[in-house]
Each structure stands twice: as structure tokens, then as C-alpha cells.
Amino acid sequence: MRKIGLIMNVLMGVSLSCVLSLVGLLSSGRFSLGAWLLSFGASTVLSLLIGFFLPVRKTAAALGAGAGLKERSLGFHFLDSLVSDVFYTPLITLLMVFLAYKGAQRGIAAAIASGAPADSVPALHFLPMFLHSLVISMVVGYVLIFILQPLYLKMLGVGKKHKEKAQN
């Protein structure tokens, strides 16, 4: 079972990072391949670290048991997706917005150094950027986790193994 957890961590981490990086950059209106690669790479590393070091599965299992939900039920799946979303998405979004914020600051500094009037350059505020991105990312992340998690588990044969154990 440990091997499946490791593979799921990689599959979900890469998937979440890829999509959230795309959504973040597309919603900012400033997509570039270099920015996406930086965001995707950094968020993939962060999501893998989250999966390895934070108790995402244990938390979902404990909350599900506390709510009286059976592990393979639809209600448990809704809760499990929410727990994963809460663990992963805010941290990934914080990292991506921080990278975008620092990149924009460098661009503004370069524009001013090139002679652009300082009052013509837009003011950047981190918190509104983060909160706006967080709302979008939480929704996208939840839907993505809700859809991909059972697909990846099925691909890894987890459902078959669970049914075979139940029949024996």
C-alpha cells in the first residue's frame, strides 16, 4: 500500500501543479512558457513535499471516521477531496503568487530604470493578488482532485484489490 501512496502522491502532485500553474498564469493575463515552467517546477516540488511530510490521508481518514463515513462512499470522497484541497492548494497558490509578485516587481523596477514615469506603473499589492488566486485555485483544485483521485486509484488497480479482499 505504501507504493500506491507514493505513486498517488506523484500523480496528484504533478497534475495539481500543472493545472494550477496554467490557471494562475492564464487568469493573470500574463502567460509565458518560462513563467509556467518556473511555476510548474516549483509547485511540483512543493506538492511532493506536502504529500510526503503532511498527514493528508490520515487527516481525511480520521475526519471521515469521525463523521461516520465509509471509506469508499461518495460522502467520504467529497470530504477526502476537500481535505486534500485544503492541504495542497493554499500552499501551492501562495508559492505561485509569490513568484508572480516577485517577477512583476522586477518588471516594474526595470521599467522605471528604463525611464518610465513611476506614477505610470501600477501598484502591486500581494494580499489581493493572493486572495483572488486562492479563490480560483481552491475551486479548480477541488474539482481536479475530485475527478482525478478516483481515476488514478482505478488506474493503479486499487478498486480491484479492495473488491477482491472483500470477496475473500
Side-chain angles (χ1 to χ4, degrees):
M1 197 62 168
R2 183 101 172 120
K3 182 180 177 182
I4 290 172
L6 175 70
I7 294 169
M8 280 297 292
N9 181 35
V10 172
L11 290 172
M12 291 302 296
V14 169
S15 299
L16 265 173
S17 297
C18 178
V19 173
L20 291 179
S21 295
L22 277 173
V23 168
L25 285 169
L26 291 173
S27 69
S28 75
R30 304 203 189 285
F31 180 83
S32 74
L33 184 59
W36 178 75
L37 288 172
L38 174 66
S39 179
F40 174 57
S43 62
T44 297
V45 169
L46 178 60
S47 66
L48 293 175
L49 291 172
I50 291 167
F52 288 127
F53 294 111
L54 296 181
V56 180
R57 294 275 66 73
K58 288 180 183 179
T59 303
L63 289 173
L69 299 172
K70 292 183 182 180
E71 191 158 330
R72 300 281 181 211
S73 69
L74 183 60
F76 183 84
H77 182 51
F78 279 115
L79 178 66
D80 187 30
S81 298
L82 180 63
V83 169
S84 294
D85 194 30
V86 167
F87 268 89
Y88 283 89
T89 305
L91 293 172
I92 292 171
T93 303
L94 181 66
L95 175 65
M96 289 188 300
V97 171
F98 178 77
L99 291 173
Y101 181 76
K102 286 299 186 184
Q105 280 184 325
R106 283 190 296 274
I108 288 171
I112 291 172
S114 296
D119 58 345
S120 70
V121 179
L124 286 180
H125 302 287
F126 182 80
L127 190 59
M129 286 174 63
F130 172 68
L131 293 176
H132 177 263
S133 292
L134 182 62
V135 169
I136 295 168
S137 295
M138 288 297 289
V139 172
V140 171
Y142 182 83
V143 170
L144 190 68
I145 293 166
F146 188 82
I147 292 170
L148 290 181
Q149 195 173 46
L151 292 175
Y152 288 155
L153 286 170
K154 188 174 184 174
M155 181 181 78
L156 294 171
V158 172
K160 289 180 185 178
K161 291 176 186 175
H162 183 54
K163 285 181 185 177
E164 288 171 7
K165 284 183 183 179
Q167 290 174 349
N168 293 333

